[in-house]
Amino acid sequence: MTALLLRHARVEDSPDPTDIRVRGGRIEAIGPGLAPPDDLGAEVLDCAGRVVVPGLIEAHLHPDKALLDGLTPEGTGSLADAIRITAQLKAGFTHDEVRARAEQVLRMCVLSGTTAIRAHPDVDPVAGLTGLNVLLELREKWAALVTLQVVAFPQEGIFKAPGTEKLLREALDSGADVVGGCTYNEASLADCHRHVELVLDLAAEYGVPADLHADFGDDHGDSRFALAEFIAARTAERGLQGRVALGHATSLAGRPPAERRAVLAALADAGV
C-alpha cells in the first residue's frame, strides 16, 4: 500500500486527532483536513481516534529454534536444560520443518505490529546452513510486510566447533546481512578473544555489521563473561563504530557501579 490517507489518528502527544497522508510508501504530510492522495487506488482509512505509532522492532530473534516445545517432553525449565534439548533437536532439523516454524513466528510478529526483525539462525556443523537458507528465503517472501535482517550466528562457538568459520563465510557469500558471534561459547578466554577478533574481521572484510552475544552470565567471575570492554576496544581499532551490536551482557549488572559505568562509557565511545 503506497498511497493512503489515515483520518482522525492520534500521533505523539497531540491532544486532537489529525490526518496522515502517505504517498509512495512514505509519510508525506501530517495535519487536519488533508486531501487524500490523487494516486489511482489510494485508500482512505478512518482511525477513529486510535493511536498511530512506528512499527515495532524485534532486534534479537531465533526463528529457526522457536516453537520447539511441541517437539520434545518438558525439561526442568533451566537455561542449561533448554540449551541441551535444543542442541539435540537441532541435529534433526529439516528445511521444511524449520520453515514452517519460522513462518509461524513471522506471522505472529507481523500481526502484533512488528515491521523489522533481526533473526539469528544457527550456523554450525550440526545445523549447517539449514536455518540460514530458510531465513534468506523468507526475507524475500515476507519483504512486503517486514524487513528481515539475517544474521549468520555461530551458536556453538567457532573454535569449539571446527568448520564453523568456513560455514560463516559461506553464509556471508550467500547473502547474510550480518555476521554474528557467541563469544562465551568457547573453551578458554584466549579462544573467546579469538572469536571476537574473527567476527569483527569478517565484518570488516565483508562490509557487514556484527552482532555479538556476549557476557551472558549472572556475574563476571568467569572472565569469558566479561568481554564488553575487549569488544569495545577491538571495534574501535577496526573503525567499526556504529556497526557492532552487543546482545545479552547480563553480567554487567553484577559489576560494581563505578566499573559498570566505565564499561558502558567504553562501549559508547566505540559506538557499540
Side-chain angles (χ1 to χ4, degrees):
M1 187 180 299
T2 61
L4 172 70
L5 181 67
L6 300 176
R7 289 208 182 280
H8 310 123
R10 293 191 182 276
V11 297
E12 297 181 340
D13 297 325
S14 175
D16 300 314
T18 189
D19 297 343
I20 305 171
R21 186 168 62 221
V22 178
R23 193 192 305 272
R26 300 181 68 86
I27 294 175
E28 181 181 74
I30 299 176
L34 295 179
D38 54 11
D39 302 54
L40 185 65
E43 189 172 357
V44 178
L45 298 178
D46 188 348
C47 295
R50 295 182 178 88
V51 175
V52 175
V53 298
L56 304 177
I57 296 173
E58 173 53 77
H60 183 160
L61 193 63
H62 296 269
D64 58 320
K65 297 184 292 191
L67 307 176
L68 291 175
D69 54 320
L71 302 181
T72 183
E74 291 186 13
T76 63
S78 69
L79 175 61
D81 202 37
I83 292 172
R84 177 185 60 80
I85 293 172
T86 301
Q88 292 174 353
L89 291 174
K90 187 163 59 172
F93 281 1
T94 67
H95 188 97
D96 290 345
E97 185 266 332
V98 172
R99 181 185 175 106
R101 287 188 291 99
E103 280 212 273
Q104 186 177 346
V105 171
L106 293 183
R107 189 172 296 109
M108 293 163 66
C109 289
V110 169
L111 289 174
S112 297
T114 303
T115 57
I117 296 172
R118 177 171 278 189
H120 299 72
D122 285 10
V123 170
D124 57 56
V126 176
L129 298 179
T130 298
L132 181 118
N133 288 333
V134 166
L135 269 298
L136 290 177
E137 289 180 13
L138 297 181
R139 182 180 66 185
E140 304 309 316
K141 179 180 178 181
W142 286 72
L145 296 174
V146 62
T147 298
L148 185 62
Q149 276 192 340
V150 181
V151 183
F153 182 63
Q155 172 71 71
E156 308 301 331
I158 297 176
F159 301 101
K160 195 172 75 172
T164 299
E165 179 183 351
K166 181 176 182 291
L167 287 168
L168 288 174
R169 289 184 175 277
E170 289 180 14
L172 291 165
D173 288 334
S174 297
D177 302 293
V178 182
V179 59
C182 191
T183 64
Y184 47 82
N185 207 351
E186 299 287 359
S188 67
L189 178 60
D191 280 350
C192 291
H193 286 170
R194 292 171 64 205
H195 187 120
V196 172
E197 301 268 12
L198 177 59
V199 169
L200 296 181
D201 285 343
L202 287 172
E205 178 181 343
Y206 282 86
V208 298
D211 193 317
L212 295 155
H213 292 12
D215 297 1
F216 191 25
D218 295 331
D219 59 54
H220 61 290
D222 185 332
S223 54
R224 294 176 303 159
F225 298 87
L227 295 178
E229 52 265 69
F230 180 83
I231 291 169
R234 296 304 180 264
T235 295
E237 283 179 3
R238 289 164 175 77
L240 293 174
Q241 291 90 336
R243 294 169 54 190
V244 176
L246 180 59
H248 291 314
T250 51
S251 67
L252 272 176
R255 296 206 187 189
E259 186 177 321
R260 184 166 60 247
R261 282 194 295 271
V263 174
L264 292 173
L267 291 168
D269 289 344
V272 176

